[in-house]
Amino acid sequence: MKAIVNSKYGTPDVLQLMEVPKPVPKDTEVLVKVHATTVNRTDCGFRKPDYFIIRLFNGFFEPKVKILGSEFAGTVESVGSKVSNFKTGDEVFGLSTKKFGAHAEYICVPESGSIAIKPVNFSFEEAAAVCDGLMLANGFLKNLDYTKSQKILINGASGSIGIAGVQLAKYFGAQVTAVCNTKSMGLVKSLGADEVIDYTKTDFTLAGNDFDFVFDAVGKSSYFKCRKLLKPKGVYVSTEFGYLAQNVFLTLLTPLFGGKKVKFPIVTDSKSDIVFFKELIDSGKYRAVIDRRYPLSQVIEATKYVEKGEKTGNVVIDIG
């Protein structure tokens, strides 16, 4: 099969389109013919790890994961002898965040893993474009106490995680202030944001001091810049480690003072989350946002675009 292989860390140019062996499903696995995948920040972070912790898990000098791609949508090609919930021909979608492998024509996924029947109202491209952002946003937002009024500010509301964050926060019943650039304001408003701040014209850190939760979905700000936005018991979270991995240390230190806190949850994918995402989409309460589409042969170009940090929503790879 064709796959995008990275045998060493580096710039997007290390990615190579190659012929590799087609995977064979184990007894408890599903073999999926991939129709669509994405390039996201996680792929970029594992291809060129700026943080030591990624090398700790993925190899110090060269990557253990040779085929990236964590989001997929496709058709079940075959199933292992012990698989009972999927059959050949099923249209599925999901995540493979531990082994990656979706930047290829085929991928094997455990039946018990993050895979579900694709929502009928989504195309393969749309289904591939939602799971990573939803997983990360859900991991940060789902544990808030929505029986109480929650006022949330989301920085980077037009990115993959931010778009998911806006829609999830509104689904859970929060009041949302979204921060994005000028061109994305209409989109973000249409997704449910109660207020939208154009960061190119206004310093969002001057938006008041009554937020219960500040979600930096792009990791471009910091707790020290955003703490004045928070209520006395407010919480700041970021999708990035921060300068000198400060968000990890602040997660340990700020609770000691009994006031404003930093949290840095470790988010992982699960079967239950994918099932929840499917239900959310099936009910018409979630929209996929796709910025650009590329063929598998243009993953380098797609990756360079993602790394500009200017995408709106998701960058999809069409495999066929």
Side-chain angles (χ1 to χ4, degrees):
M1 68 173 183
K2 293 179 180 178
I4 300 296
V5 178
N6 72 306
S7 55
K8 60 183 179 180
Y9 293 127
T11 68
D13 296 303
V14 302
L15 301 171
Q16 296 179 292
L17 179 63
M18 299 177 64
E19 290 283 343
V20 300
K22 180 178 174 181
V24 177
K26 298 177 182 177
D27 289 346
T28 57
E29 289 184 333
V30 175
L31 177 65
V32 178
K33 178 175 174 55
V34 181
H35 297 312
T37 182
T38 65
V39 175
N40 56 42
R41 281 165 53 193
T42 305
D43 298 319
C44 296
F46 272 74
R47 190 208 72 251
K48 185 179 180 294
D50 293 325
Y51 297 106
F52 171 79
I53 192 169
I54 294 178
R55 290 180 183 264
L56 186 64
F57 289 104
N58 196 41
F60 286 104
F61 303 110
E62 65 177 53
K64 295 177 182 177
V65 174
K66 305 297 185 184
I67 300 174
L68 294 169
S70 61
E71 302 175 270
F72 66 88
T75 305
V76 174
E77 179 90 355
S78 63
V79 299
S81 61
K82 296 182 181 179
V83 171
S84 58
N85 293 320
F86 297 97
K87 64 182 184 303
T88 300
D90 282 346
E91 295 182 348
V92 295
F93 79 128
L95 282 167
S96 178
T97 61
K98 297 177 179 67
K99 295 184 178 180
F100 292 83
H103 289 172
E105 291 182 310
Y106 294 90
I107 184 173
C108 283
V109 184
E111 179 186 26
S112 60
S114 300
I115 181 172
I117 298 296
K118 180 181 73 66
V120 295
N121 54 337
F122 264 28
S123 66
F124 286 113
E125 290 179 330
E126 290 172 319
V130 297
C131 286
D132 183 70
L134 271 169
M135 175 195 72
L136 292 166
N138 192 49
F140 287 109
L141 294 172
K142 67 181 178 181
N143 292 321
L144 297 180
D145 183 3
Y146 292 100
T147 62
K148 302 176 182 178
S149 175
Q150 294 287 345
K151 191 173 180 182
I152 298 174
L153 182 139
I154 299 176
N155 182 37
S158 60
S160 174
I161 303 169
I163 281 173
V166 170
Q167 295 184 81
L168 279 174
K170 292 307 298 179
Y171 172 79
F172 291 137
Q175 181 181 345
V176 177
T177 295
V179 181
C180 62
N181 57 23
T182 308
K183 69 175 184 177
S184 301
M185 291 183 70
L187 168 67
V188 172
K189 187 74 174 177
S190 74
L191 296 175
D194 299 286
E195 181 182 356
V196 182
I197 298 173
D198 181 351
Y199 72 79
T200 68
K201 298 179 180 179
T202 303
D203 182 353
F204 77 89
T205 65
L206 304 178
N209 60 350
D210 61 344
F211 290 96
D212 299 286
F213 197 80
V214 171
F215 180 22
D216 188 359
V218 285
K220 291 184 177 180
S221 191
S222 71
Y223 170 66
F224 298 105
K225 291 179 181 178
C226 294
R227 69 185 307 274
K228 58 189 174 184
L229 294 166
L230 294 168
K231 292 179 180 179
K233 297 286 186 179
V235 174
Y236 170 86
V237 298
S238 174
T239 57
E240 296 291 333
F241 289 97
Y243 179 66
L244 297 177
Q246 63 181 271
N247 291 327
V248 177
F249 296 106
L250 289 170
T251 296
L252 300 174
L253 292 174
T254 53
L256 301 177
F257 302 99
K260 302 174 183 180
K261 298 182 181 65
V262 176
K263 291 187 177 181
F264 194 75
I266 304 300
V267 181
T268 58
D269 62 294
S270 69
K271 167 75 79 174
S272 60
D273 280 349
I274 297 298
V275 171
F276 166 57
F277 302 158
K278 173 178 166 53
E279 292 171 351
L280 191 67
I281 295 165
D282 282 339
S283 66
K285 295 179 179 178
Y286 193 86
R287 284 168 52 191
V289 177
I290 297 173
D291 187 328
R292 294 187 180 183
R293 298 167 171 84
Y294 294 84
L296 187 64
S297 60
Q298 293 182 12
V299 162
I300 291 176
E301 290 81 356
T303 302
K304 289 179 178 178
Y305 178 63
V306 170
E307 291 191 338
K308 287 182 179 180
E310 299 173 356
K311 68 181 178 68
T312 300
N314 302 271
V315 171
V316 169
I317 305 299
D318 289 310
I319 299 181

